[in-house]
Amino acid sequence: MPFFNRSNNEDLILAVQSAGVSNGRNGFKKDKSGEKLAESVEDLLEHRTDGTDAFDTLYIGCEKFPFHDSFSLSMSGVL
């Protein structure tokens, strides 16, 4: 389950909450019809699905290719 830093991601949170869904030929999909419209005061670019697409890519990448290896760094310069 992803967590958002609310104070640093206000636009992303609003975009995720307001992303619409449409029924496509392969089932449900994100409604991207608003991306073609001109920006207005009520419909800012930051609140459209472009940012959520970037988040989707990051989230899916973390789920499909988790990073389990760990390593340690020596802060003293001595191993």
Side-chain angles (χ1 to χ4, degrees), residues 5-58:
N5 182 329
R6 290 186 183 272
S7 61
N8 291 333
N9 293 296
E10 294 171 2
D11 291 327
L12 177 60
I13 291 170
L14 184 59
V16 168
Q17 291 172 338
S18 62
V21 177
S22 62
N23 195 1
R25 67 174 186 237
N26 294 325
F28 295 107
K29 64 178 188 170
K30 194 182 306 183
D31 182 11
K32 296 175 171 270
S33 61
E35 291 181 2
K36 297 174 182 74
L37 303 174
E39 181 179 22
S40 67
V41 176
E42 296 85 24
D43 186 26
L44 298 174
L45 293 176
E46 293 88 359
H47 301 158
R48 294 186 182 176
T49 56
D50 296 328
T52 62
D53 291 343
F55 174 75
D56 294 343
T57 302
L58 174 64

